[in-house]
Amino acid sequence: MQYNRFFTDDQVKRIHEASLELLENVGVLVHNDKARAIYGKIGCSVDVQSGMVKFPSQVVEKARQSFVPTYTFTAQNPKFDKVLPNDGPIVVTGSSAPNIIDPKTGEERRATSDDIANIAYLINELPGFDVFSISTLAEDAPPGQFSISRFYPALKNCKKPVRSNTPNMKDLEQVLELGELIAGSKEAYMARPFINHHYCPMVAPLTMDVESTEAVIYLVERGLPVYGTIVPNAGLTSPMSLAATVTLGNAEFLALATLIQSIRPGAPMIYAVLSTVADMRTGNYAPGAIETGMLQMGHTEMANYYNIPSGGYIGLTNSHLNDAQSGYETGMNTTGALLAGASLFNMGGLLGSLMAFDFGKAVTDSEIAMNLKRMKRGMEFSEENLCLDLIAKVGPGGSYMSEKHTVKKMRTTAVLPNVATREMRGRWESEGRTDYQTRAMREADRILSQENPAKFSAELDAKIRGHFPNLVAGDAKWDL
């Protein structure tokens, strides 16, 4: 597939060189002691008092030599395993929103573990999604079980790869214990680690935090799947320049990548980003802006230069409703990123700048995802697909409607949406003049009203609940 580009080869190389200059001359403020020690061992200049780390270019270039071109999302059910970029576009839900749009009242409220269970089941059944990044927090989490109250209902109701993060090491260890219980043993889990971890250890501009960095180090040392996202925000945490934001973000990616590769050379990574431009009229966060898509495209060009998978939080919206704004923000930015070569899309289900999950939006995004996957397949050029014999057979003025070739190809050549309407106006009116959100919620209701095929066996569930007393129920229950 020929990718669209903003930068020439020389400009890409210059951004790389400029990133090295930033790392060597400006450096990164590293708050984590272990990270500073690792950087010091590989030849970086570390100021212990200030926490500043400066990176000689040869140190970064050595780390680059061990970059690998693929990243695997492992699932509880192996048939759902996905490899970047080969299986791309891989579509992931947006994650960690505090709120949900209540499916009964339409009002925004705090999300609970029951909501996570329902969302997990929905994502397991929606064909556009490949990975469930746990969409919300759980307001009802018992004390000391903040993360387990998210991962348990997610893993209990979704057999696709599950991905999220934890706020501290105690929570991370709990989540890994859960994975080992589900797998049957620590050895079985290590052979197929189906919990996928994601953190944002880089805090723009050019700062590395404590807890997320600690988790990344811990997971990389053990050979468990983890990757990080960089999040510069032009006008606030990076210059009000798209090229500068790509460069600053690229330097942050290289700093994190150098840490990971120094711990375990050849550790799989994703060049994942959520680079944005602040709306300087208010300072508001604008992940739905077209510049977010453009920045993702620019970062993807850098990832292509490094020959590693790319993507991130792309296809988000600032809209508080599943409406026209939501549709064009998600559609335009994901299409641009796909055409630039991105293969990972955290795009599903969230409204209001990542603050609230909506079931109708998730159904919508599944249909957008199916269109993206179709676009990635392309025209599939071949002599057979030119159909010259068939064109000659039908001839001028004929019809292809009844041809066997049409019947054979009609379900694979075109995306056939379940929710978008293609009816004539008269039929649409006779069926109630429904808008897209109404039809999307009907589709969510149809899916979630059926028997859940993904739930744990009674024996496994009893074992987990015995290990974690007072655990949330974690059951998908739907009564719209």
Side-chain angles (χ1 to χ4, degrees):
M1 183 174 178
Q2 185 69 40
Y3 297 130
N4 289 2
R5 301 183 61 181
F6 285 130
F7 305 125
T8 66
D9 289 345
D10 287 343
Q11 289 168 342
V12 166
K13 184 179 179 183
R14 178 61 187 131
I15 290 172
H16 170 66
E17 292 170 346
S19 300
L20 295 180
E21 291 173 21
L22 289 174
L23 292 175
E24 186 159 8
N25 300 324
V26 179
V28 174
L29 177 59
V30 179
H31 291 296
N32 184 280
D33 293 339
K34 289 182 182 178
R36 288 200 301 268
I38 292 168
Y39 284 133
K41 287 179 181 178
I42 62 174
C44 293
S45 171
V46 179
D47 186 316
V48 177
Q49 287 189 333
S50 68
M52 288 299 300
V53 176
K54 294 186 177 180
F55 299 70
S57 58
Q58 64 267 25
V59 171
V60 181
E61 293 292 6
K62 181 179 179 181
R64 268 187 67 195
Q65 293 174 14
S66 59
F67 288 5
V68 295
T70 62
Y71 184 99
T72 299
F73 284 98
T74 304
Q76 290 184 71
N77 186 333
K79 76 175 185 179
F80 292 123
D81 288 359
K82 294 294 180 182
V83 179
L84 284 172
N86 309 21
D87 296 329
I90 290 176
V91 178
V92 188
T93 46
S95 57
S96 299
N99 298 336
I100 192 165
I101 306 301
D102 188 283
K104 287 186 178 180
T105 67
E107 298 297 319
E108 187 170 332
R109 60 167 172 78
R110 288 294 187 183
T112 69
S113 59
D114 289 342
D115 295 317
I116 293 173
N118 284 330
I119 298 166
Y121 174 24
L122 180 68
I123 299 307
N124 194 69
E125 300 303 305
L126 285 172
F129 290 107
D130 303 294
V131 177
F132 178 39
S133 183
I134 305 175
S135 300
T136 69
L137 306 181
E139 179 76 3
D140 60 332
Q145 294 188 349
F146 174 82
S147 295
I148 205 75
S149 296
R150 301 178 65 217
F151 279 87
Y152 170 63
L155 291 160
K156 187 176 183 178
N157 297 283
C158 185
K159 292 298 178 281
K160 294 177 180 178
V162 169
R163 189 215 82 158
S164 197
N165 52 33
T166 52
N168 54 58
M169 291 304 299
K170 180 182 177 181
D171 276 30
L172 176 57
E173 289 167 359
Q174 276 192 338
V175 168
L176 292 175
E177 286 177 27
L178 174 62
E180 292 167 8
L181 287 169
I182 295 170
S185 69
K186 181 175 182 178
E187 293 73 22
Y189 181 74
M190 292 300 295
R192 283 189 54 79
F194 48 77
I195 298 174
N196 301 269
H197 304 271
H198 165 264
Y199 294 91
C200 296
M202 298 302 306
V203 181
L206 296 169
T207 304
M208 187 172 282
D209 78 355
V210 178
E211 292 288 354
S212 292
T213 304
E214 186 84 9
V216 169
I217 293 171
Y218 181 90
L219 292 163
V220 173
E221 286 176 339
R222 286 155 181 77
L224 293 168
V226 61
Y227 68 96
T229 293
I230 54 162
V231 291
N233 187 3
L236 296 181
T237 62
S238 69
M240 184 55 83
S241 155
L242 298 188
T245 298
V246 170
T247 303
L248 176 65
N250 191 67
E252 292 174 340
F253 166 75
L254 289 174
L256 177 59
T258 298
L259 177 69
I260 291 171
Q261 296 304 315
S262 299
I263 298 168
R264 183 161 59 92
M269 303 183 303
I270 303 172
Y271 190 135
V273 303
L274 176 48
S275 291
T276 53
V277 175
D279 188 325
M280 296 308 292
R281 295 171 298 183
T282 59
N284 285 345
Y285 190 46
I290 193 62
E291 292 81 14
T292 303
M294 295 172 68
L295 287 164
Q296 176 67 76
M297 295 169 75
H299 284 295
T300 297
E301 291 189 55
M302 300 310 301
N304 292 342
Y305 177 71
Y306 300 132
N307 192 29
I308 54 175
S310 66
Y313 285 83
I314 187 67
L316 304 171
T317 181
N318 287 86
S319 179
H320 300 287
L321 297 171
N322 188 25
D323 58 6
Q325 177 184 341
S326 170
Y328 83 69
E329 288 180 344
T330 298
M332 291 180 68
N333 283 334
T334 53
T335 300
L338 180 76
L339 294 177
S343 53
L344 180 75
F345 296 78
N346 281 91
M347 57 173 274
L350 299 191
L351 297 173
S353 306
L354 293 87
M355 291 300 292
F357 177 88
D358 178 69
F359 286 92
K361 173 63 170 163
V363 172
T364 303
D365 291 339
S366 178
E367 289 211 339
I368 292 174
M370 296 303 289
N371 283 282
L372 292 171
K373 291 171 187 286
R374 178 65 188 92
M375 183 176 289
K376 178 63 182 297
R377 276 173 50 202
M379 291 286 188
E380 300 165 316
F381 181 87
S382 68
E383 285 296 321
E384 179 184 356
N385 282 341
L386 292 179
C387 300
L388 296 181
D389 290 341
L390 179 60
I391 293 170
K393 173 189 170 186
V394 172
S399 172
Y400 295 89
M401 179 72 76
S402 61
E403 292 295 325
K404 290 182 180 180
H405 180 273
T406 302
V407 175
K408 179 182 177 181
K409 296 281 190 177
M410 66 182 187
R411 293 186 181 277
T412 57
T413 295
V415 175
L416 302 175
N418 290 325
V419 182
T421 184
R422 292 175 175 174
E423 302 293 349
M424 299 298 291
R425 185 176 184 88
R427 175 129 185 210
W428 170 72
E429 289 182 334
S430 70
E431 292 178 348
R433 300 171 60 94
T434 55
D435 60 20
Y436 192 96
Q437 175 69 352
T438 300
R439 297 193 300 275
M441 288 302 296
R442 286 178 182 173
E443 178 67 3
D445 181 52
R446 182 191 68 79
I447 292 171
L448 291 170
S449 297
Q450 298 175 14
E451 182 66 23
N452 180 1
K455 62 185 179 182
F456 289 155
S457 68
E459 294 77 14
L460 174 58
D461 206 35
K463 182 170 70 170
I464 294 170
R465 301 189 68 78
H467 188 83
F468 295 105
N470 304 316
L471 192 59
V472 296
D475 296 315
K477 295 180 179 179
W478 185 256
D479 182 22
L480 187 59

